[in-house]
Amino acid sequence: MALYSIIIPVYKSSDSLKIIVSELSKMQTELGYKFEIIFVNDSPFFLETVNMLGNLRIGNDNVKIVTFRKNQGQHIATLAGINIALGDFIITMDDDLQHPVSELPKLIEGIQTSNAEGVFAIPNYRNRKHSFWRSVASYLLKKSDSIFLEKPKGLILSSYRIMTKDLAQATLNSYNAMPAVSSLMVNASNNLINVKVKHTSREFGETNYTFSKLLSLALNGILYYSSLPLRILGIVGIIGFLGSMLFIISIIFRKLAVGIDFPGYASTVTLISFFGGLNLFAFGIIGEYLLRIIKEQQKPNLKDLIK
């Protein structure tokens, strides 16, 4: 029987955790799944969370608790859970019940009945329960992912997902200082799909993903997982250099053909254009070198390239 490791980053939550464990235990009994539940406590000094996690561990042999020394963020917490997971499949979900436990079988069915290495749950947008500004920021994040990440066309990323053990390991092997788990998955594999699930209103606590944090996440995704900005810089630099050379030729031609009324104009403009173009060309070359340095740092483990 396959073991499913369910990783739940926890930040200042308590009552919702008890409901999650109760529903997962019921699902194990009724549907015959085998779960390993890993809570990663990202709020170590919030006593309600600490006490609740301690209580949940009593009598639940399949519950594991990981506690950080200080707040590290959802993505680091997720990776820490993946690092100790023993399951054949890794599931990640939030701690606020906006990812309904009852929808979990859809994720499991999605990865079992397809050849996919990862499945992202996406809400039925008519039932999506987010604030207006959160929805706007999420839309911008989705658009930046579409432009800058080399992901399968139409794929929508989310934190409610399931992946194979191999893909989870590949994700671990390539994480950086400011990781985004979904982006790491996309970097490791294109064999990813979506399934639609219900999305419920937040019953406990408040979201930590403000408009500014989501925009920051989008910026990190662009800078860490895409070489497109450096490519653009390189192209602009080379085009600028070629343009300045053409301008210099036109100034020289004008000087020789019809003359220029202002003494020193031709030499001044020529020098400014030359060195300006040279700077742009240098920026382009530097961009290409930076791109190669980044690619070298991100080179994959050869074992992770093999399914």
Side-chain angles (χ1 to χ4, degrees):
M1 178 185 295
L3 174 64
Y4 298 91
S5 294
I6 303 174
I7 297 163
I8 307 169
V10 179
Y11 184 75
K12 294 185 177 180
S13 298
S14 56
D15 292 339
S16 61
L17 308 182
K18 181 167 58 176
I19 296 173
I20 289 172
V21 171
S22 175
E23 292 190 11
L24 287 174
S25 298
K26 182 180 178 181
M27 189 175 292
Q28 280 192 124
T29 302
E30 294 181 352
L31 300 180
Y33 294 131
K34 186 177 181 182
F35 293 142
E36 173 190 49
I37 306 171
I38 302 174
F39 289 110
V40 183
N41 184 8
D42 200 24
S43 51
F45 302 108
F46 193 70
L47 292 181
E48 287 185 33
T49 298
V50 173
N51 293 335
M52 177 58 73
L53 290 175
N55 292 334
L56 290 175
R57 196 170 184 178
I58 299 173
N60 293 302
D61 295 335
N62 64 333
V63 173
K64 294 181 179 179
I65 311 296
V66 177
T67 301
F68 284 157
R69 290 187 174 90
K70 65 177 184 178
N71 176 253
Q72 298 288 347
Q74 182 183 22
H75 294 279
I76 291 289
T78 301
L79 290 171
I82 292 175
N83 191 47
I84 66 167
L86 301 176
D88 304 293
F89 297 93
I90 311 298
I91 298 168
T92 70
M93 62 186 298
D94 293 346
D95 62 348
D96 55 12
L97 291 175
Q98 282 196 289
H99 295 160
V101 176
S102 59
E103 298 293 276
L104 195 54
K106 293 181 181 179
L107 280 171
I108 295 174
E109 181 182 4
I111 204 163
Q112 286 182 339
T113 59
S114 69
N115 192 39
E117 292 184 276
V119 178
F120 294 93
I122 58 171
N124 184 329
Y125 283 89
R126 290 177 298 179
N127 298 325
R128 195 167 189 176
K129 308 294 183 180
H130 278 322
S131 67
F132 172 75
W133 287 112
R134 170 68 189 272
S135 297
V136 170
S138 296
Y139 174 80
L140 293 175
L141 179 60
K142 183 177 71 173
K143 283 299 181 183
S144 71
D145 286 343
S146 298
I147 295 171
F148 293 101
L149 289 180
E150 297 177 2
K151 66 183 181 69
K153 186 176 181 180
L155 182 72
I156 298 175
L157 309 181
S158 81
S159 57
Y160 198 12
R161 56 204 160 210
I162 184 171
M163 68 190 91
T164 62
K165 180 69 173 179
D166 288 343
L167 180 56
Q169 188 59 51
T171 299
L172 269 182
N173 290 342
S174 60
Y175 85 93
N176 50 52
M178 300 181 71
V181 176
S182 294
S183 299
L184 290 169
M185 291 173 64
V186 170
N187 272 0
S189 175
N190 280 332
N191 192 11
L192 307 167
I193 62 172
N194 286 127
V195 296
K196 288 187 176 181
V197 300
K198 293 179 182 177
H199 191 262
T200 59
S201 299
R202 176 183 289 269
E203 297 182 29
F204 302 92
E206 297 180 356
T207 180
N208 296 307
Y209 280 102
T210 60
F211 183 82
S212 60
K213 283 187 177 181
L214 285 171
L215 289 182
S216 176
L217 188 62
L219 181 61
N220 288 337
I222 293 170
L223 296 179
Y224 273 95
Y225 302 102
S226 174
S227 60
L228 185 58
L230 282 176
R231 286 289 186 195
I232 293 173
L233 177 63
I235 292 171
V236 168
I238 293 172
I239 291 175
F241 176 73
L242 294 176
S244 67
M245 293 300 100
L246 291 175
F247 183 68
I248 289 171
I249 292 172
S250 71
I251 291 295
I252 294 174
F253 177 79
R254 181 181 172 189
K255 172 74 173 177
L256 296 176
V258 298
I260 296 178
D261 296 333
F262 302 101
Y265 173 81
S267 58
T268 301
V269 171
T270 298
L271 287 172
I272 291 174
S273 298
F274 175 76
F275 286 108
L278 191 62
N279 282 335
L280 288 173
F281 183 72
F283 281 133
I285 296 298
I286 291 171
E288 289 296 317
Y289 274 109
L290 285 174
L291 176 62
R292 281 154 179 76
I293 291 171
I294 291 171
K295 290 295 185 183
E296 180 66 21
Q297 293 298 316
Q298 293 180 340
K299 66 181 180 182
N301 186 318
L302 293 179
K303 293 181 180 179
D304 296 334
L305 301 179
I306 304 170
K307 183 177 177 181

